Amino acid sequence: MPPIDSSSHLPSSSYTLYTHTGGDLETNAYILSLPNPKNQTVTLCFDAPQDTLRALQKLSLTPQALILTHGHFDHITDAAAIAETYHCPIYIHPADQFMIENPSIFTLWGVPPISPVKNAQPLNVPDFGSCETSIATIPMRLFHIPGHSPGSLAFYLPEHQLLFAGDILFAGSIGRWDLPGGNQHHLLNGIRQHLLTLPDSTRVLPGHGPTTLIEIERKQNPFLIP
């Protein structure tokens, strides 16, 4: 599992970023290690598909936080196991919190049982808006972009120009809006308002498929070209 990036353009902004792809839907988890403002190393895990715990153990990394971009089953499979193993907080938007607290709802889709998470920390972002916050001392900007799920979030680290986009934006595509709680209008508006206005060189780290850049998606994504 090699890092997909080893550093940013400034030595003071160095980071290491690993990707783990797990489960039948080939869902991406991202494991990011970087210095906080006090120059202490912090590890964040974005999403928890199948075998993410094993990936963390293989890397000998201890996450200070597990951050869920949304609550769909393929992104939360290992969430409870990671929380139990590392005693780290789990963060999710309140609108999707019911999915991780009662994942048995996904058995209706033929999904095997998933262990519930009972003590998630809600990320309260203005509806359809954004806010500045810090998670495990790492500053970031959060965007609430419903449309794929009611509580879909994207996480932008401006110092490193990294965007953890979940299932909102993909390379050459966007998230599905035909699932329960989906809304095409909200999804497209949120992407255009919040994500396409980010710097061209922002690296997009999607929930499925390869990474891309904001500049590429603004100019070439067929769902987003006016």
Side-chain angles (χ1 to χ4, degrees):
M1 185 188 305
I4 63 172
D5 203 323
S6 58
S7 67
S8 65
H9 61 285
L10 294 173
S12 60
S13 300
S14 62
Y15 62 84
T16 304
L17 180 62
Y18 299 88
T19 184
H20 162 72
T21 303
D24 293 340
L25 299 184
E26 297 185 343
T27 303
N28 294 329
Y30 298 100
I31 302 166
L32 175 67
S33 289
L34 71 173
N36 67 9
K38 295 183 178 180
N39 206 32
Q40 300 164 328
T41 299
V42 173
T43 296
L44 304 176
C45 185
F46 291 85
D47 287 334
Q50 183 178 330
D51 293 331
T52 303
L53 174 59
R54 187 179 302 175
L56 287 163
Q57 292 171 331
K58 184 176 180 180
L59 292 167
S60 298
L61 291 174
T62 298
Q64 277 69 59
L66 171 59
I67 303 168
L68 299 176
T69 59
H70 62 296
H72 285 162
F73 69 90
D74 55 314
H75 291 257
I76 68 169
T77 307
D78 268 21
I82 290 171
E84 181 178 346
T85 300
Y86 297 108
H87 306 288
C88 64
I90 297 179
Y91 295 91
I92 192 168
H93 190 278
D96 279 13
Q97 194 164 345
F98 74 98
M99 300 184 196
I100 63 171
E101 291 179 344
N102 185 26
S104 61
I105 59 175
F106 294 117
T107 59
L108 299 175
W109 299 1
V111 176
I114 297 172
S115 297
V117 174
K118 295 299 184 182
N119 296 309
Q121 304 296 311
L123 292 169
N124 294 300
V125 185
D127 289 347
F128 308 101
S130 66
C131 69
E132 306 284 342
T133 191
S134 293
I135 297 179
T137 71
I138 301 300
M140 61 184 75
R141 188 184 308 165
L142 279 56
F143 303 106
H144 178 224
I145 304 178
H148 177 68
S149 79
S152 285
L153 292 172
F155 300 82
Y156 177 56
L157 278 63
E159 183 178 355
H160 309 284
Q161 293 193 352
L162 296 175
L163 176 70
F164 297 88
D167 286 3
I168 297 169
L169 178 64
F170 302 122
S173 189
I174 62 174
R176 293 178 60 173
W177 58 82
D178 59 339
L179 300 171
N183 185 300
Q184 181 185 18
H185 176 74
H186 291 163
L187 181 61
L188 288 170
N189 276 3
I191 293 171
R192 292 190 174 111
Q193 177 184 354
H194 295 303
L195 304 190
L196 297 189
T197 55
L198 295 174
D200 285 352
S201 57
T202 299
R203 171 173 279 188
V204 181
L205 303 159
H208 304 269
T211 65
T212 183
L213 297 174
I214 285 294
E215 181 180 22
I216 294 173
E217 300 313 306
R218 186 188 300 113
K219 294 179 178 179
Q220 301 180 17
N221 191 312
F223 292 91
L224 303 173
I225 297 174

